[in-house]
């Protein structure tokens, strides 16, 4: 009897550990979110253990799961879905079947997944809804992923595909109006969207530019990983601080020493101290997001990591490092941030810097939002965020 009770108690504790998590009171569907995050937490622990045994890289395990839930390219009565390549980069294209006399709008979408996992097939519903409700051509790009490929490969894949799409002959073949194009993405895709939009601005060879950009809880800088949102949301479901740091480090290298340095926020050498002014949350965040937090001056790291992996100091990987002169010419911008997201402050700091540079910005801050909220159609918040995003596109594109 004693052993059975001990066994039941042990099982109960394990179940409670994986299912229950303390969540903010204003979460709309807390138990449903717990049920969604539970298998993710279990899988992350299993994948980490398998990696510890030296059998499989944790990101490769993630990629297998993401591939399992990928939606194949399937046309329906409203949208034709095809797969092709733009400058040798795989893309999935969604074209509405409704006939138009005029040219269509277009959304060039870049999926999230920490530069390590995910594909256009994991964003099929969002792309399909955008194409149908906006009556727009949607191009969803499949860039190469870490750990097999590191920065700048992901950036270059996305930028090369975008440049190809913006060619006059390609736009004409899809019936796209060259003056009504949006570059958009979420999370790591938001990072890439911001980076390629900056790059596009200064590229004299590309005559067609984006009319607008839309960034959904973007990751914009790996220099300071001790902002208030990193502190407050370190253990939030879907994306913890530890997992985000792992994504950042994998973007640049499989060397775990960079991850270790990033976790202690001691990875930037003193010779790059001038860059911190671009990500100084004590001056860039509104007071309500700084309240109760003390800004710690940077503790500089060894120059060895930056010499080996200079990517984390590159503006193409960290769009917040762009100076004001580069931000000034950027197009009308939509930024979605979530209160309970480690990346919250990245997006808010970018809003501040863009506005200071004279860029028009629509900032949609979701008080009950969390990272990945626009990826789970079984949740009410998914529909709320998606509706707001598509309605903004409809009004401004």
């Amino acid at each position: 009897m004693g052993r059975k009770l001990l066994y039941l108690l042990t099982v109960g504790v394990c179940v409670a550990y994986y299912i229950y998590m303390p969540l903010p009171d204003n979460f709309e569907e807390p138990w449903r979110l717990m049920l969604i995050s539970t298998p993710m937490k279990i899988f992350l622990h299993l994948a980490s253990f398998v990696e510890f045994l030296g059998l499989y890289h944790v990101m490769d395990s993630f990629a297998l799961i993401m591939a399992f839930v990928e939606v194949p390219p399937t046309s329906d009565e409203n949208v034709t879905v095809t797969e092709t390549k733009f400058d040798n980069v795989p893309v999935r294209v969604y074209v509405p079947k409704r006939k138009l006399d005029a040219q269509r709008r277009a959304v060039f979408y870049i999926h999230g997944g920490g530069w390590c996992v995910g594909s256009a097939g994991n964003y099929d519903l969002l792309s399909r809804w955008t194409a149908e409700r906006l009556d727009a051509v949607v191009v969803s790009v499949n860039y190469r992923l870490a750990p097999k490929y590191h920065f700048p490969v992901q950036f270059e894949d996305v930028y090369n595909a975008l440049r190809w799409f913006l060619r006059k002959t390609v736009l004409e073949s899809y019936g796209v109006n060259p003056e009504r194009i949006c570059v958009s993405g979420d999370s790591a895709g938001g990072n890439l969207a911001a980076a390629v939009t900056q790059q596009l601005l200064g590229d004299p060879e590309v005559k067609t530019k984006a009319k607008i950009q839309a960034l959904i809880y973007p990751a914009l800088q790996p220099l300071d990983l001790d902002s208030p949102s990193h502190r407050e949301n370190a253990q939030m479901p879907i994306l913890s601080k530890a997992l985000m740091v792992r994504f950042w480090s994998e973007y640049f290298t499989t060397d775990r020493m960079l991850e270790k340095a990033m976790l202690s926020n001691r990875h930037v050498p003193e010779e790059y101290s001038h860059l911190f002014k671009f990500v100084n949350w004590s001056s860039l965040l509104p007071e309500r997001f700084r309240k109760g937090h003390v800004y710690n001056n940077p503790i500089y790291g060894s120059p060895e990591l930056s010499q080996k992996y200079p990517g984390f100091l590159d503006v193409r990987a960290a769009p917040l490092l762009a100076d004001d002169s580069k931000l000034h010419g950027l197009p009308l911008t939509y930024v979605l941030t979530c209160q309970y997201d480690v990346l919250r402050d990245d997006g808010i700091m970018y809003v501040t810097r863009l506005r200071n540079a004279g860029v028009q910005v629509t900032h949609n801050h979701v008080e009950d939002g969390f990272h990945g909220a626009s990826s789970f159609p079984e949740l009410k918040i998914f529909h709320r965020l998606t509706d707001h995003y598509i309605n903004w596109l409809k009004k401004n594109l």
Side-chain angles (χ1 to χ4, degrees), residues 198 277-278 315 319-328 353 357:
Q198 289 181 6
K277 66 183 178 182
F278 297 124
V315 68
L320 257 172
L321 298 184
D323 60 39
D324 290 346
S325 62
K326 189 169 185 178
L327 299 180
H328 178 69
R353 294 206 55 219

Side-chain angles (χ1 to χ4, degrees), residues 84-91 93 108 139 141 157 160-162 164-166 170 174:
T84 184
K85 290 186 177 182
F86 287 175
D87 197 15
N88 210 36
V89 179
V91 297
V93 185
F108 185 91
V139 176
V141 60
D157 278 359
N160 289 338
L162 178 60
W164 183 272
F165 178 59
L166 294 178
V170 177
Y174 286 105

Side-chain angles (χ1 to χ4, degrees), residues 238-296:
I238 311 303
L239 185 68
S240 65
K241 176 181 175 178
L243 181 56
M244 188 63 231
V245 169
R246 182 69 189 270
F247 279 138
W248 269 122
S249 65
E250 289 292 339
Y251 189 23
F252 307 112
T253 176
T254 52
D255 182 352
R256 301 293 296 275
M257 290 304 295
L258 179 59
E259 177 193 6
K260 183 179 179 180
M262 283 182 162
L263 279 170
S264 63
N265 215 35
R266 298 184 180 188
H267 52 292
V268 180
E270 188 171 8
E271 63 187 286
Y272 290 97
S273 61
H274 62 285
L275 295 178
F276 280 101
K277 66 183 178 182
F278 297 124
V279 299
N280 187 329
W281 58 262
S282 68
S283 61
L284 294 172
L285 290 181
E287 199 277 336
R288 60 167 291 209
F289 297 105
R290 291 185 276 116
K291 191 174 182 179
H293 292 278
V294 176
Y295 181 78
N296 296 320

Side-chain angles (χ1 to χ4, degrees), residues 85 87-91 110-119 141-161 188 192 250-251:
K85 290 186 177 182
D87 197 15
N88 210 36
V89 179
V91 297
I110 309 157
H111 71 78
W115 308 277
C116 296
V117 299
S119 71
V141 60
N142 278 316
Y143 50 92
R144 285 173 289 179
L145 301 169
K148 187 174 182 180
Y149 302 98
H150 300 292
F151 174 84
V153 169
Q154 291 84 340
F155 171 87
E156 290 173 346
D157 278 359
V158 172
Y159 193 61
N160 289 338
L192 291 164
E250 289 292 339
Y251 189 23

Side-chain angles (χ1 to χ4, degrees), residues 44 59 62 112-116 186-191 217-225 227 229-230 233-252 258-259 262-263 317 341-344 346 371-372:
L44 177 59
M59 295 303 169
F62 264 120
W115 308 277
C116 296
D186 70 291
S187 193
N191 166 284
Y217 34 72
L220 298 171
Q221 61 85 27
L223 271 73
D224 186 358
L225 301 175
S227 73
S229 63
H230 285 91
N233 302 312
Q235 302 301 326
M236 276 293 154
I238 311 303
L239 185 68
S240 65
K241 176 181 175 178
L243 181 56
M244 188 63 231
V245 169
R246 182 69 189 270
F247 279 138
W248 269 122
S249 65
E250 289 292 339
Y251 189 23
F252 307 112
L258 179 59
E259 177 193 6
M262 283 182 162
L263 279 170
D341 179 6
V342 292
L343 297 179
R344 179 195 70 204
D346 281 19
H371 195 86

Side-chain angles (χ1 to χ4, degrees), residues 7-289:
Y7 173 77
L8 289 173
L9 181 61
T10 303
V11 171
V13 169
C14 291
V15 170
Y17 170 76
Y18 279 105
I19 293 181
Y20 178 76
M21 63 189 71
L23 294 175
D25 294 337
N26 62 337
F27 266 32
E28 191 172 20
E29 300 173 286
W31 280 103
R32 185 167 288 186
L33 178 58
M34 288 181 199
L35 291 175
I36 289 172
S37 64
T38 294
M40 297 178 65
K41 186 193 293 187
I42 293 172
F43 179 78
L44 177 59
H45 287 177
L46 287 174
S48 299
F49 181 65
V50 169
E51 182 180 55
F52 173 75
L53 295 177
L55 301 176
Y56 218 58
H57 193 287
V58 68
M59 295 303 169
D60 289 333
S61 298
F62 264 120
L64 286 175
I65 294 298
M66 295 297 285
F68 181 74
V69 296
E70 183 177 309
V71 177
T74 307
S75 301
D76 59 28
E77 65 274 15
N78 298 314
V79 180
T80 299
V81 184
T82 57
E83 290 189 328
T84 184
K85 290 186 177 182
F86 287 175
D87 197 15
N88 210 36
V89 179
V91 297
R92 184 178 290 195
V93 185
Y94 298 77
V95 180
K97 290 184 177 179
R98 187 185 307 126
K99 291 185 178 180
L100 280 183
D101 294 330
Q103 291 178 305
R104 283 191 164 90
R105 297 176 274 204
V107 176
F108 185 91
Y109 195 83
I110 309 157
H111 71 78
W115 308 277
C116 296
V117 299
S119 71
N122 297 125
Y123 285 76
D124 180 81
L125 184 60
L126 178 61
S127 297
R128 194 178 297 271
W129 280 8
T130 304
E132 183 179 342
R133 291 167 58 179
L134 199 61
D135 202 12
V137 173
V138 176
V139 176
S140 189
V141 60
N142 278 316
Y143 50 92
R144 285 173 289 179
L145 301 169
K148 187 174 182 180
Y149 302 98
H150 300 292
F151 174 84
V153 169
Q154 291 84 340
F155 171 87
E156 290 173 346
D157 278 359
V158 172
Y159 193 61
N160 289 338
L162 178 60
R163 279 172 52 104
W164 183 272
F165 178 59
L166 294 178
R167 297 195 314 168
K168 187 173 184 289
T169 54
V170 177
L171 294 177
E172 288 177 348
S173 69
Y174 286 105
V176 170
N177 186 335
E179 296 181 355
R180 303 181 76 184
I181 296 170
C182 170
V183 177
S184 181
D186 70 291
S187 193
N191 166 284
L192 291 164
V196 298
T197 302
Q198 289 181 6
Q199 186 84 357
L200 196 65
L201 194 64
D203 191 336
E205 295 182 5
V206 183
K207 304 305 179 185
T208 300
K209 310 295 185 182
K211 180 183 180 182
I212 60 175
Q213 63 174 334
L215 314 176
I216 300 171
Y217 34 72
L220 298 171
Q221 61 85 27
L223 271 73
D224 186 358
L225 301 175
D226 188 40
S227 73
S229 63
H230 285 91
R231 299 173 187 175
E232 295 169 7
N233 302 312
Q235 302 301 326
M236 276 293 154
I238 311 303
L239 185 68
S240 65
K241 176 181 175 178
L243 181 56
M244 188 63 231
V245 169
R246 182 69 189 270
F247 279 138
W248 269 122
S249 65
E250 289 292 339
Y251 189 23
F252 307 112
T253 176
T254 52
D255 182 352
R256 301 293 296 275
M257 290 304 295
L258 179 59
E259 177 193 6
K260 183 179 179 180
M262 283 182 162
L263 279 170
S264 63
N265 215 35
R266 298 184 180 188
H267 52 292
V268 180
E270 188 171 8
E271 63 187 286
Y272 290 97
S273 61
H274 62 285
L275 295 178
F276 280 101
K277 66 183 178 182
F278 297 124
V279 299
N280 187 329
W281 58 262
S282 68
S283 61
L284 294 172
L285 290 181
E287 199 277 336
R288 60 167 291 209
F289 297 105

